[in-house]
Amino acid sequence: MAMYDGDSSGSSEEDQLEDIHEEALEQFEQSQEVWEENQRRYEQDVKFARMGEQWDDNDAERRRQDGRPMLTVNRLPSFIRQVSNDARQNKPQIKVMPQDSSGDPNTAEVLNGLIKNIENISKADLAYDTAIDCAASGGMGYFRVDVDYSDADTFDMDIRINRILNPLTVYPDANSTAADSSDWNYCFITEMMPLDEFEVAYPDADPIDFNAGSYTDREALWFEDKSVRLAEYWCRKQEEYDIHQLDTGDVVTDEMLDEMQDTLDAMGIQVVKTRKSTKSVVKRYVLNGQEILETDEWEGSFIPVIPVWGEEVYHEGERHFYSLIHFAKDAQRMYNYWRTTTTELVALAPKAPWIGPAGSFDTDLQNWQVANTETLPFLEYDGDVPPQRQPFAGPPAGALQEALNASDDMKSVMGLHDASMGAQSNEISGVAISKRIREGDTSTFHFIDNMSRAIRHAGIVILDLIPHIYSQDRVLRIIGQDEQPQTVRVNAPFQSKEEMLPDHTKNQMEAISSIYDLRVGKYDVVVKAGPSYTTQREEARNSMIALLQAFPQAAQVTGDLVVESMDWPNADAFAKRLKAILPPGVIDEAQDPQAAALAKQVKEMDAVIQQLMAGREAKMAEIQVDREKLGIDAANAETNRLKAETERLKAEVDAEYKRQQLEIDAAKAMQQDPVDDTPVVIKQMELSHDQAKVEIDSALEERKLSIEEAKVAIDQQRLDIERFKAEADASVMVSEAMAPEIDISIVDLANGKDLE
């Protein structure tokens, strides 16, 4: 394989490999010298905080010889877990955005889904969690980006994110100053391979250990555990090449220009500018102490080893990285010492607290000997003065206070107080407790922020690899923001509309138009720190329920969204049914095409129902007309009855009037002389007759008014009948005109246009 090595292009391949191996050994020694202090500090902090090796060797040996207690009450892991678990709950998410006009927002969403799928299948959370835990425990952690086959029976490649379990096996570029590995030009990852596996993997190579810096002889074997130390050597160099700008504004390389030259000449396109540019060429080598065992080309422009730093301090030209607990170790030692002292003083307290004159215990010696361990009903003694029980002095208050002081010192050094650790503190209100917790998070936020920077750089490394690894026409699985997987086709050959129209249906055209080219466009990477999608969903659900409780009217247009955020069985089906009955115009067709299609189907169904209801209303109008006709007939009958009753009453009144008139005439004829009282009777009869006539006339007038009112009501009913007839005729005409469309819509619905 042809190798790239700066000025050694004229030498043979074997000489180039020897030069690269020699350069690697020199760079390794340089890296080991620069990073030795940080690695030593990492090992000490991890042993102290994680392994509990917190007593000085000399003090521990003296205490073992004297038989004195040596307690380790290790409180540091709880502080480390506070930081690492906070990072687990708030995973930064990689976000891709278009950088220039050639970047496509839809393709950016596909890239986001692809990166989430890479993280999912790689179990990247293990890599992230291990790195932040190592950074909090020892000051530095690492994870890496790899490339591997998608499956055992395919040649398709996939990107993977893997963890580096032991940060001490990584030796970064000694000249690096960046907050991530973006400026690394070399890096080493060492590993121990069993001798038998080495002989199988490299049968022609000598099992010579790679120099670890602690051996004077580079060819010394590591015979103690029958293993061979190998080194994975990553090297990045800058390579010059020419770029050319065409008069169309496009920029091409030498290789592209050679391929396109004939086409450009035919089209009259000229090169207007040419300049030198550089690109990063990354290679990977596997070394032992004598030779290069493997050589691989890396498609990306960055060394795919991502550091997660602890607290960084730059002093006298050197970078120092500290863990969360580094400066709290002395307080932890003091805490162990004073807790041990308290235990020791209590253990050395007298076990026989009875004092009395000589001979006082002889009478009941056996019971007195067990009086401090057993409950006895009585004790006997000789002499006049009874034995006196001495009170227990209690635990040493001074030692306990010093232990509390040491505990407070640990909290103060790390900035994590009781409220930050979940314990009850002096704060009473929820606001005060939240502020104290936020202060604790702020004091350790630089660890979380360094994790975010590392994940952002991992996104840059992955985005740089994607056009090379996913360069063929293939179908990929992506994961959306809602954690739901879907498949998309990428990098398919371009097909114009003219080519699609003759042979493709509308659905096929839409599918082809959704093919994304991952090789075109420039994109930026940002990270969004915050709770996971599951946590956001729970918080959103609680907030929506609280909103609906305060504003119930919103449930009519947002009920489907609330149900979609819930996790009980059939929640999705329930949400679909709620969405189907939403009022028109609520669903945004551009955002939810499926819901829009469903809404359109509902509208069509509603139109059919409205048409059917129009015909039903016409029939109901006809029935109402018949009812009104019956009412009019009944009113006419009642009018005729009233007329007959009036005629009968009038006849009776006329007969009564004539009878009374006859009586008056008869009374007048019977009058004999002026003194007779007959005229008085006649006057009374005339008055009665006149009064009766007035009453009869009044009754007749009232009856006439009733008849007139009945006539008016009959006329109004006749007008209503005419109006109902007109409306019924119009409805029947509309129904007859729309009957064919109704039949067609019903047939369409019967043929499969059903709601989900």
Side-chain angles (χ1 to χ4, degrees):
M1 180 179 298
M3 305 299 298
Y4 173 80
D5 187 38
D7 298 332
S8 60
S9 57
S11 59
S12 65
E13 180 178 351
E14 184 177 355
D15 293 338
Q16 291 181 21
L17 293 177
E18 290 180 358
D19 293 341
I20 292 173
H21 189 272
E22 185 65 26
E23 181 184 13
L25 293 178
E26 294 176 358
Q27 289 178 340
F28 182 82
E29 292 177 358
Q30 181 184 13
S31 176
Q32 188 180 41
E33 179 181 356
V34 171
W35 291 95
E36 181 179 7
E37 179 65 22
N38 287 315
Q39 291 188 339
R40 180 189 61 79
R41 190 183 300 114
Y42 173 92
E43 187 173 11
Q44 291 177 350
D45 289 355
V46 169
K47 284 184 177 180
F48 188 91
R50 289 300 196 180
M51 305 304 296
E53 299 179 11
Q54 298 179 354
W55 285 88
D56 181 80
D57 292 340
N58 295 329
D59 293 342
E61 182 62 27
R62 285 196 296 268
R63 283 180 174 270
R64 279 193 291 267
Q65 292 177 357
D66 297 340
R68 300 176 61 188
M70 186 176 57
L71 304 180
T72 300
V73 185
N74 190 7
R75 303 191 61 189
L76 298 180
S78 61
F79 294 99
I80 295 174
R81 287 192 295 269
Q82 185 68 23
V83 174
S84 60
N85 290 342
D86 189 20
R88 293 188 181 194
Q89 293 177 355
N90 299 276
K91 282 285 195 315
Q93 300 178 9
I94 300 173
K95 185 73 173 178
V96 177
M97 299 184 301
Q99 181 181 359
D100 57 11
S101 59
S102 59
D104 176 42
N106 294 328
T107 304
E109 290 301 322
V110 172
L111 291 170
N112 287 327
L114 178 57
I115 292 176
K116 287 181 68 68
N117 184 63
I118 291 172
E119 291 179 319
N120 184 52
I121 61 178
S122 304
K123 300 178 181 178
D125 56 330
L126 296 178
Y128 300 156
D129 295 343
T130 301
I132 187 63
D133 189 77
C134 291
S137 301
M140 55 187 177
Y142 303 93
F143 61 92
R144 63 186 298 172
V145 177
D146 291 322
V147 175
D148 199 359
Y149 289 105
S150 301
D151 208 339
D153 57 353
T154 182
F155 288 95
D156 291 334
M157 305 294 288
D158 271 338
I159 299 174
R160 297 287 187 267
I161 300 175
N162 297 320
R163 69 172 182 168
I164 296 178
L165 189 59
N166 182 10
L168 297 180
T169 62
V170 179
Y171 293 84
D173 188 340
N175 300 316
S176 172
T177 58
D180 47 36
S181 60
S182 59
D183 65 341
W184 287 8
N185 290 321
Y186 65 86
C187 174
F188 295 87
I189 305 176
T190 62
E191 64 171 330
M192 297 300 301
M193 178 177 287
L195 187 58
D196 53 351
E197 294 183 11
F198 177 85
E199 293 175 349
V200 173
Y202 308 103
D204 298 331
D206 294 330
I208 299 178
D209 182 59
F210 185 78
N211 177 33
S214 57
Y215 301 94
T216 56
D217 185 3
R218 289 185 176 179
E219 297 182 354
L221 292 177
W222 201 319
F223 288 111
E224 294 180 357
D225 55 2
K226 297 183 179 180
S227 299
V228 178
R229 184 184 297 274
L230 301 180
E232 187 178 356
Y233 172 48
W234 291 90
C235 176
R236 181 175 74 168
K237 296 182 181 297
Q238 299 300 317
E239 189 176 83
E240 286 190 350
Y241 68 103
D242 293 332
I243 60 174
H244 311 276
Q245 184 177 12
L246 307 178
D247 54 12
T248 60
D250 297 324
V251 177
V252 296
T253 62
D254 283 339
E255 182 179 356
M256 297 171 61
L257 186 62
D258 292 339
E259 295 177 356
M260 301 167 56
Q261 190 63 56
D262 294 338
T263 303
L264 297 178
D265 292 341
M267 298 176 64
I269 299 176
Q270 302 294 326
V271 175
V272 295
K273 290 182 181 180
T274 299
R275 73 175 181 87
K276 295 288 185 181
S277 184
T278 59
K279 64 179 179 180
S280 297
V281 178
V282 180
K283 293 188 178 182
R284 170 185 172 272
Y285 306 93
V286 177
L287 317 173
N288 66 357
Q290 176 176 313
E291 58 184 327
I292 295 177
L293 306 176
E294 293 182 27
T295 301
D296 295 321
E297 298 281 349
W298 181 252
E299 299 288 354
S301 303
F302 301 94
I303 294 177
V305 181
I306 318 298
V308 179
W309 303 125
E311 184 173 359
E312 180 182 13
V313 177
Y314 187 80
H315 179 65
E316 294 183 353
E318 296 183 359
R319 301 172 73 189
H320 301 271
F321 297 99
Y322 295 95
S323 65
L324 173 69
I325 55 88
H326 178 76
F327 296 104
K329 291 193 294 184
D330 287 340
Q332 176 65 55
R333 291 189 182 98
M334 294 300 298
Y335 187 81
N336 291 337
Y337 173 79
W338 288 114
R339 295 299 291 171
T340 301
T341 299
T342 301
T343 303
E344 188 175 15
L345 292 176
V346 172
L348 294 177
K351 299 296 184 183
W354 293 94
I355 298 177
S360 299
F361 306 101
D362 294 341
T363 303
D364 199 3
L365 180 61
Q366 183 177 1
N367 287 339
W368 281 107
Q369 289 176 341
V370 297
N372 64 331
T373 58
E374 296 183 7
T375 301
L376 302 174
F378 59 88
L379 294 170
E380 296 181 353
Y381 68 95
D382 290 334
D384 298 331
V385 180
Q388 301 294 323
R389 187 178 183 90
Q390 301 300 309
F392 174 61
L400 291 176
Q401 183 60 45
E402 289 298 328
L404 292 176
N405 293 339
S407 176
D408 291 338
D409 289 341
M410 278 189 284
K411 301 173 188 176
S412 299
V413 168
M414 290 179 283
L416 293 173
H417 298 277
D418 293 335
S420 300
M421 305 297 292
Q424 185 176 359
S425 59
N426 296 329
E427 292 82 359
I428 299 177
S429 68
V431 175
I433 295 174
S434 299
K435 288 184 177 180
R436 175 59 65 88
I437 294 175
R438 188 161 55 248
E439 289 174 0
D441 293 341
T442 302
S443 66
T444 59
F445 184 73
H446 52 290
F447 287 92
I448 308 298
D449 194 44
N450 288 345
M451 183 68 190
S452 298
R453 293 172 181 172
I455 294 179
R456 178 183 181 274
H457 185 60
I460 294 174
V461 172
I462 294 173
L463 188 62
D464 180 56
L465 282 174
I466 284 177
H468 305 284
I469 305 303
Y470 303 97
S471 59
Q472 304 298 322
D473 178 10
R474 59 189 288 191
V475 176
L476 300 176
R477 186 183 74 168
I478 64 174
I479 297 180
Q481 181 65 26
D482 57 354
E483 304 297 335
Q484 296 300 317
Q486 57 179 309
T487 57
V488 296
R489 186 180 178 186
V490 299
N491 306 326
F494 176 75
Q495 198 167 11
S496 65
K497 292 184 178 180
E498 290 75 11
E499 295 172 326
M500 290 188 288
L501 285 174
D503 303 321
H504 296 83
T505 65
K506 180 180 178 181
N507 292 335
Q508 289 173 330
M509 291 171 59
E510 292 177 352
I512 293 175
S513 64
S514 299
I515 299 172
Y516 308 95
D517 194 343
L518 306 184
R519 301 160 299 183
V520 178
K522 295 182 180 180
Y523 299 88
D524 284 332
V525 174
V526 296
V527 293
K528 179 182 178 182
S532 64
Y533 176 78
T534 302
T535 303
Q536 294 179 20
R537 185 175 180 178
E538 293 176 356
E539 294 177 353
R541 181 180 64 242
N542 295 334
S543 299
M544 285 188 288
I545 292 175
L547 176 62
L548 293 183
Q549 290 174 348
F551 185 54
Q553 294 84 350
Q556 298 178 1
V557 294
T558 60
D560 58 314
L561 301 178
V562 178
V563 175
E564 283 180 349
S565 66
M566 297 183 177
D567 298 324
W568 36 268
N570 295 325
D572 293 339
F574 198 96
K576 287 181 180 179
R577 297 190 181 186
L578 287 178
K579 188 177 293 184
I581 62 175
L582 288 176
V586 174
I587 300 177
D588 187 354
E589 298 182 2
Q591 295 181 356
D592 195 345
Q594 294 181 352
L598 184 61
K600 182 179 179 182
Q601 193 175 24
V602 171
K603 290 180 181 179
E604 294 175 354
M605 179 72 106
D606 185 64
V608 174
I609 293 174
Q610 293 296 330
Q611 294 170 3
L612 295 175
M613 289 298 295
R616 178 177 177 273
E617 290 177 357
K619 294 296 184 183
M620 293 298 295
E622 292 179 0
I623 295 173
Q624 184 66 21
V625 169
D626 293 337
R627 289 178 179 176
E628 293 294 336
K629 287 181 179 180
L630 293 175
I632 291 173
D633 293 339
N636 288 332
E638 180 65 18
T639 302
N640 293 332
R641 188 187 66 78
L642 290 173
K643 285 182 178 180
E645 182 67 20
T646 302
E647 294 296 334
R648 185 187 61 79
L649 180 60
K650 184 178 180 181
E652 291 178 355
V653 170
D654 290 342
E656 180 65 22
Y657 177 78
K658 290 178 180 180
R659 185 185 63 78
Q660 291 181 2
Q661 187 66 39
L662 290 174
E663 289 179 354
I664 294 171
D665 293 341
K668 287 181 178 181
M670 293 173 64
Q671 185 177 5
Q672 296 177 358
D673 53 54
V675 297
D676 191 18
D677 57 355
T678 301
V680 176
V681 174
I682 292 172
K683 291 295 184 182
Q684 291 178 348
M685 292 178 65
E686 289 178 349
L687 290 174
S688 299
H689 175 73
D690 294 338
Q691 184 177 0
K693 186 178 181 181
V694 171
E695 292 178 355
I696 290 171
D697 292 340
S698 177
L700 288 174
E701 291 297 328
E702 291 179 358
R703 184 58 55 91
K704 288 180 180 180
L705 290 174
S706 299
I707 292 172
E708 293 298 329
E709 291 177 356
K711 289 181 178 180
V712 172
I714 290 171
D715 293 337
Q716 183 64 40
Q717 289 179 342
R718 285 176 179 170
L719 293 175
D720 291 340
I721 288 173
E722 295 299 329
R723 180 175 58 82
F724 281 122
K725 282 184 178 180
E727 292 178 355
D729 292 339
S731 299
V732 170
M733 292 176 64
V734 172
S735 299
E736 291 176 353
M738 299 181 66
E741 297 182 3
I742 295 174
D743 295 337
I744 293 173
S745 300
I746 293 174
V747 170
D748 291 340
L749 292 173
N751 288 336
K753 289 189 177 181
D754 298 330
L755 296 176
E756 294 184 9

